[in-house]
Amino acid sequence: MTYTHDAIVIGGGAAGLTAAGGCALFGLKTALIEGHKMGGECLNNGCVPSKALITSAKRAAEAREGKRHGVELAPPKVDWSGVHKHVHDAIAHIAPHDSEETFEEMGCEVIRDWGKITGPKTVEVGGRTLSAPRIVIATGSAPAVPPIEGLDSVPYLTNENLFDLDVLPVHLVIVGGGVIGMEMAQSFCRLGSKVTVINPGELMGRDDRDSVAVVADVMRQEGVRFIDGKAAKVEGEAGAIRVHTGQGDEVIEGSHLLIAVGRKARVSGYGLEELGVELGRNGIKVDARRRTSIKSIYAIGDCREGPRLTHVSGYEGGNVALEIALGVPTKVDWSALPWCTFTEPEVAQIGLTETEAKEKYGDGVRVVKEGFDHNERAIAEDSVKGHLKVMFKGKKVVGASICGKGAGELLLPFSQMISGKASSFAMGSAIVSYPTRAEIVKASAFSAWEPTVFGSLPKKWAGLVQKMRRAF
């Protein structure tokens, strides 16, 4: 068969851009197909705008504290049009990194249209039939919409239109207490909105319970209200939304409604069903190499079953580019998978949580907990809320949970320890700049070795050395 390309990538988000750019940089003739916005979810209505909004909210929170550390600040005046501009300026500033022109310079043929897979090695797009030995589908995900009575008849927000609001909500009602729900709840509250979060069960369910408790307590103190229950029914109109919670039939009246209950893989309309590609409960089924049931077709990023994080998409895109270009099988490894929720304080996780570690290893797990109230940089900054938990199996780190200022920045050394690229002994004996929050990492790593270093055998040896010195 004569192919038009060496690789075809469908989707211009984090996963697809990494895969297509990698293949092109290896010299492969690569087609990159994107029917909507280049940059995908992360750039346009995910990581970038949300972190920009969080930054504005932090400024407002700092000013609202008034006099602190001998410095008096004026009360904040939130200009929503300025916040909106900051959010969209951030998107515009980063957009060139993900642009059509950037990837054409790398060597990709960028096709701005919707593609459909018509065979194990063929794709139709814009009236053309493309063919390649390998196809990569990276079509991402969309906001999941729960089956709430009346939801289809009222205006509601998701992350896809939240950042286009032209007014600051008076009362934002959020259905969902996951990452998006919690980050946006704190941010809008700090910017001046009344905020109510409705969530059945545990907030931020995949994270360490102690860490989540700290964040939830801070958010309650700032004014966020949490309701443990389901949104059973929605009614109303723009500016006047009523949510029946099903908890004693309490009715929450708000100006805006945000649905933030997770993500749904985008798999329809790309020819997958017709081709017989096996689908799972929420995404395309893949093996460890990200191959679908048709081995010439890969699925990476949010469209396949598995973790949905931007850095995971980039990781998978890089793996698949290596495999396609060099023919070297690359398997994913989630043992050191990090993630962070950018509330204040932040909640960061890598590897196993305490609960997961105990379920997997039982009594073989040792949990070391260090509080930031003993970290001298945190004390100097008067920002001591939070802690670090490290899960050890023997002296090997199998997970770490961090809650505190800049928690996400402290995950990297644990990535090295969990993956075996560094040891807890090496980390515990490292020279760390003082005063830094990173000292807490060294302290936790050394704690695994402290009983050995200062154990009975070293003490006996030290005593023998001293006797020998006195003898001479």
Side-chain angles (χ1 to χ4, degrees):
M1 183 176 181
T2 301
Y3 296 109
T4 62
H5 295 81
D6 298 309
I8 301 170
V9 179
I10 303 174
L17 293 179
T18 306
C23 287
L25 290 173
F26 274 117
L28 275 62
K29 187 177 182 182
T30 305
L32 172 59
I33 301 170
E34 174 52 65
H36 192 40
K37 294 180 179 179
M38 294 289 286
E41 187 80 13
C42 178
L43 172 64
N44 296 293
N45 39 47
C47 310
V48 173
S50 66
K51 302 312 166 278
L53 184 75
I54 287 169
T55 299
S56 292
K58 281 185 178 181
R59 297 293 292 272
E62 289 165 359
R64 196 169 284 116
E65 290 180 357
K67 189 172 183 179
R68 191 180 183 197
H69 310 140
V71 178
E72 189 167 349
L73 302 176
K77 294 181 180 179
V78 176
D79 172 15
W80 178 254
S81 63
V83 174
H84 184 275
K85 183 178 184 301
H86 167 63
V87 169
H88 288 272
D89 282 351
I91 296 171
H93 187 77
I94 296 172
H97 302 170
D98 297 344
S99 69
E100 181 176 342
E101 293 76 16
T102 295
F103 282 81
E104 286 176 339
E105 289 175 6
M106 288 185 185
C108 295
E109 178 187 358
V110 181
I111 303 170
R112 301 301 299 277
D113 207 336
W114 298 98
K116 183 175 182 179
I117 301 174
T118 54
K121 299 181 181 182
T122 57
V123 175
E124 288 186 1
V125 58
R128 298 169 58 191
T129 298
L130 310 184
S131 58
R134 296 290 183 270
I135 296 171
V136 181
I137 182 163
T139 49
S141 63
V145 179
I148 301 173
E149 181 184 346
L151 186 60
D152 58 351
S153 62
V154 301
Y156 63 88
L157 301 165
T158 68
N159 71 297
E160 292 188 338
N161 56 359
L162 175 66
F163 303 106
D164 293 324
L165 280 174
D166 55 7
V167 295
L168 178 67
V170 175
H171 182 185
L172 179 62
V173 181
I174 301 176
V175 176
V179 173
I180 296 173
M182 293 290 276
E183 288 182 350
M184 294 302 96
Q186 186 176 48
S187 294
F188 277 94
C189 181
R190 288 177 160 193
L191 290 168
S193 299
K194 181 180 178 181
V195 176
T196 301
V197 177
I198 303 170
N199 186 70
E202 295 181 329
L203 298 168
M204 296 168 60
R206 67 181 181 178
D207 282 288
D208 175 72
R209 294 297 88 202
D210 289 343
S211 298
V212 176
V214 173
V215 173
D217 183 58
V218 168
M219 290 174 63
R220 286 189 185 97
Q221 292 177 28
E222 292 183 356
V224 177
R225 184 189 178 199
F226 294 102
I227 296 177
D228 181 12
K230 290 185 177 181
K233 179 182 176 182
V234 178
E235 57 188 2
E237 56 191 22
I241 303 295
R242 294 180 297 279
V243 183
H244 298 257
T245 66
Q247 291 289 97
D249 204 32
E250 181 180 2
V251 179
I252 308 299
E253 297 185 357
S255 61
H256 294 76
L257 174 64
L258 170 62
I259 301 297
V261 297
R263 311 289 301 172
K264 182 179 180 180
R266 284 196 181 98
V267 295
S268 298
Y270 300 99
L272 301 175
E273 296 93 341
E274 298 92 323
L275 201 57
V277 173
E278 187 177 0
L279 304 178
R281 186 181 62 84
N282 188 9
I284 303 166
K285 281 187 172 291
V286 292
D287 63 14
R289 291 166 57 183
R290 310 291 87 176
R291 297 178 302 177
T292 69
S293 55
I294 298 177
K295 300 309 179 189
S296 59
I297 301 175
Y298 295 83
I300 57 176
D302 283 13
C303 67
R304 50 90 192 107
E305 288 191 318
R308 293 188 165 96
L309 297 161
T310 296
H311 45 281
V312 166
S313 294
Y315 168 68
E316 292 183 333
N319 274 7
V320 166
L322 284 170
E323 179 159 324
I324 292 174
L326 304 181
V328 178
T330 55
K331 295 183 178 181
V332 296
D333 178 7
W334 303 135
S335 62
L337 175 62
W339 67 82
C340 185
T341 301
F342 294 92
T343 49
E344 192 171 34
E346 294 178 7
V347 174
Q349 177 68 41
I350 188 166
L352 302 177
T353 64
E354 179 179 2
T355 300
E356 292 169 338
K358 288 180 176 177
E359 287 176 353
K360 185 172 183 177
Y361 297 116
D363 294 337
V365 171
R366 180 186 174 207
V367 179
V368 171
K369 187 174 181 180
E370 297 276 347
F372 280 105
D373 54 350
H374 295 308
N375 178 270
E376 293 175 21
R377 175 64 179 271
I379 293 169
E381 293 179 333
D382 190 19
S383 182
V384 298
K385 285 187 182 295
H387 54 262
L388 162 64
K389 274 187 187 178
V390 185
M391 277 56 73
F392 291 93
K393 184 179 182 297
K395 292 183 175 62
K396 178 174 173 54
V397 176
V398 295
S401 304
I402 312 175
C403 177
K405 181 179 178 180
E409 306 297 336
L410 300 178
L411 288 178
L412 181 57
F414 292 106
S415 172
Q416 301 301 291
M417 286 186 273
I418 293 171
S419 62
K421 296 173 182 175
S423 68
S424 56
F425 182 83
M427 198 62 61
S429 58
I431 301 174
V432 180
S433 178
Y434 174 88
T436 62
R437 288 177 174 265
E439 287 184 291
I440 203 170
V441 177
K442 175 178 177 175
S444 65
F446 181 73
S447 67
W449 288 89
E450 190 170 5
T452 302
V453 173
F454 298 115
S456 58
L457 185 59
K459 284 181 179 178
K460 288 179 180 178
W461 177 254
L464 179 60
V465 170
Q466 304 317 306
K467 286 182 181 179
M468 292 175 63
R469 285 178 176 166
R470 287 194 294 268
F472 293 98

